[in-house]
Amino acid sequence: MPFNVALSGLRASSQDLEVTGNNIANTSTVGFKKSRTEFGDLYSNAFLGGGAGSVGDGVQVQNVRQIFNQGNVSFTDRGLDLAISGNGFYVLSDGGETKYSRAGQFGVDKDGYVINNTGMRLQGFDADDDGNVGGVLTDIQVDSSNLPPVRTTLIDPSLNLDSSETVLEERGTRLLAQGGLSGEIAAGIVNGFPSETWTVTLADGTSNSITTAANTSAGAIAASLSTLPGTDASASTLATIDIATFNPATGDSLLINGVTFSGSDLTSLSDLAIAVNGSALGGVTAVLQDSGLATERLELVHNQGGDLSFTLQGTGTVNVDGVTTNVLLDPANAVPVPSATVGGILDIIVEEGATLAPATNTLVASFSSSSFRNNQFDPTDAGTYNHATSTTIYDSLGNAHVGTMYFVKQGSGSTVQPNTWQMHMLIDGEDIGDPVVGTTPTRASYTLIFNEDGTMNQNLSDQVLISNWTPLDPSGNPNGASGPINVSNGGALPIPNPPTSSNFEIDLSDTTQFGSSFSVSDMQQNGFTTGRLVGLDVDEAGIMFARYTNGESRILSQVALANFNNEEGLSPAGETAWVQTFASGDPVVGAPGTGTLGSLSSSSVEESNVDLSDELVNLIIAQRNYQANAKTIETADQVTQTILNI
């Protein structure tokens, strides 16, 4: 019947108009995917029936297919507006039901959850406190609480010291303690320094005195002498082991300044060097020297002038050399005893026109004096250092402090290698070196030695551990933050995690000494003050960063995307979202940019993929089809009326 055929055409055309009208209505809907109407003809066929002369029964809508072509990406001014470039859908939780969408207009609700404009929660992979992203899918939640402060435990600069710099000098007199007082082996634990009264007489005739106790180490004496006007003293202790026979299997052990080395530590001098450098021996550095002979020599240096005491236990033997003497420690022999101490050597500089004299004849005979051009460091006098640079560091309460590094080029000589620099460290203008006597901080000073190619010799250079910094308030009083752990109390590298004190390391391994001007190419430190959340950013891999007022950023999570083997099998659920069906298959969930999943663009949205001009043309075609089917009904009606009128 022509009426039925025409009616089927009207119904199909009407649905085509609905689909086209829905596309046009959603032209500006973010993430919308257009649909198209797909038609099929109808034939009435009976069992074993049909034939070449069959006339069709009209038309039907076989499918309304969604077209998931990429929409245009337009930029916005919101960091949580996201656009997918490529395959994939956002995974959303709608009251426990999982839905999928391409609309990336997100915000944060009162509880910190990232939601779309209908309240569905965005799903992703959470990150731990170290920024490592896990693999468990969950609601993305933003913690809006303040970021707690983190104390500085490492300063990692990249510097160049100018090798063409001259040694900054000032005329003075240098006195060197030597002979029977220090640098020689002494049985037991004493170093040979007697009780002594030191008197400095300045050029204007004024004099000052100080008394040091017997058996005080050279380093402690130097610290005391440095308090005298016009006087600067330092000390160092050198001892070497050049013959060693250890038997770890029989329980041999060597005590150096009370620290025991045994077992694998005594397999070779090389192993002993590694063990010493990794031990709690404060200020002691071990360097293995190849003498070019059949035996190696292990050189131990106490750069603060402390005593170096040795005690051997077991059946082995050790040959210990001081500056001028040596002794074979052999527990099997009564003489010499298996314990000995090497004392430090004093290096004293007095300003021009001044004299320094000990009261006893013993020390008078032990000193040699020579004219010297002094480069004594003074942080308040820019003429006493070659370079300086500062950085901000933070205590455990998040208070900022200024740490300043000063670099002084050293003149080479019999006791100083070429390409040697001295680095001094002050914080807020205060000394922070470990105390030698009492609790008074000393100058934190470290020796840096460079190779001939300008790189740092890390074996000979000091490791820089700041172990006596007490954070102070603007009035100069302790501010309540964590205090230091001195080397003598167990302070050592590496810094424990989590840290337990104000100690921190300065890694100068990237420092160079080239013939170019002083430069700071990088200055990194790992502390910061407290911060307030000010913004969120998302990169193309979906990593969500939180930005804080202190300049820090933290990885919160990673946005998840899902893809389907047959995305056209998804069922529209309204609100620009789809749900999974049997036809779509199971979702494949992963990170943006992995597998077949597309990447993300922040501050952007994906526009509808509707082409308005095409839809207007389709609207005209659908209207024409509707009118033509209506005309068929009108014509059939006229034919019927003609038949009835016969």
Side-chain angles (χ1 to χ4, degrees), residues 263-278:
S264 61
D265 297 340
L266 302 181
T267 303
S268 66
L269 290 182
S270 176
D271 291 333
L272 181 58
I274 295 173
V276 168
N277 290 327

Side-chain angles (χ1 to χ4, degrees), residues 124-444:
F125 308 109
D126 271 352
D128 60 21
D129 293 339
D130 295 325
N132 302 310
V133 177
V136 179
L137 196 64
T138 185
D139 298 337
I140 296 179
Q141 187 176 22
V142 177
D143 185 1
S144 59
S145 60
N146 289 343
L147 188 67
V150 171
R151 72 189 78 186
T152 298
T153 59
L154 174 66
I155 299 177
D156 188 10
S158 181
L159 309 167
N160 179 67
L161 306 178
D162 189 355
S163 65
S164 62
E165 283 282 320
T166 58
V167 177
L168 305 175
E169 297 175 325
E170 176 181 307
R171 290 191 180 277
T173 304
R174 182 177 189 175
L175 303 99
L176 190 66
Q178 54 190 351
L181 294 174
S182 60
E184 290 192 357
I185 300 296
I189 60 172
V190 298
N191 55 30
F193 279 106
S195 175
E196 186 58 76
T197 298
W198 308 77
T199 301
V200 61
T201 303
L202 302 180
D204 61 3
T206 60
S207 62
N208 294 269
S209 300
I210 193 170
T211 300
T212 56
N215 299 325
T216 302
S217 70
I221 296 174
S224 298
L225 292 178
S226 294
T227 64
L228 293 173
T231 306
D232 182 49
S234 61
S236 63
T237 309
L238 174 66
T240 60
I241 299 175
D242 60 4
I243 299 175
T245 303
F246 297 115
N247 189 355
T250 61
D252 282 1
S253 63
L254 177 65
L255 279 68
I256 304 177
N257 284 10
V259 177
T260 302
F261 300 92
S262 59
S264 61
D265 297 340
L266 302 181
T267 303
S268 66
L269 290 182
S270 176
D271 291 333
L272 181 58
I274 295 173
V276 168
N277 290 327
S279 72
L281 284 173
V284 178
T285 303
V287 179
L288 190 66
Q289 301 284 359
D290 185 357
S291 63
L293 303 175
T295 59
E296 294 178 316
R297 300 172 67 248
L298 180 61
E299 182 177 283
L300 289 89
V301 178
H302 196 306
N303 54 22
Q304 295 176 343
D307 294 341
L308 285 175
S309 62
F310 302 87
T311 300
L312 183 63
Q313 299 174 342
T315 60
T317 59
V318 175
N319 190 76
V320 178
D321 290 343
V323 174
T324 59
T325 59
N326 68 82
V327 64
L328 182 66
L329 302 184
D330 185 355
N333 297 326
V335 180
V337 294
S339 296
T341 297
V342 178
I345 297 178
L346 280 171
D347 191 349
I348 308 170
I349 297 173
V350 293
E351 66 183 29
E352 187 173 13
T355 60
L356 177 69
T360 66
N361 292 330
T362 303
L363 285 176
V364 169
S366 71
F367 274 87
S368 63
S369 175
S370 62
S371 177
F372 184 74
R373 296 180 64 85
N374 175 30
N375 61 344
Q376 180 178 345
F377 167 70
D378 181 358
T380 64
D381 183 359
T384 63
Y385 55 88
N386 300 86
H387 309 302
T389 184
S390 298
T391 186
T392 301
I393 59 176
Y394 298 90
D395 61 30
S396 62
L397 297 178
N399 299 304
H401 304 267
V402 177
T404 306
M405 291 173 278
Y406 301 87
F407 299 92
V408 181
K409 188 173 184 179
Q410 304 296 295
S412 60
S414 59
T415 60
V416 180
Q417 297 191 36
N419 302 320
T420 296
W421 292 71
Q422 198 78 11
M423 189 198 83
H424 308 280
M425 180 74 179
L426 282 78
I427 298 180
D428 295 336
E430 302 291 333
D431 283 326
I432 52 169
D434 281 13
V436 177
V437 178
T439 60
T440 303
T442 60
R443 179 67 40 81

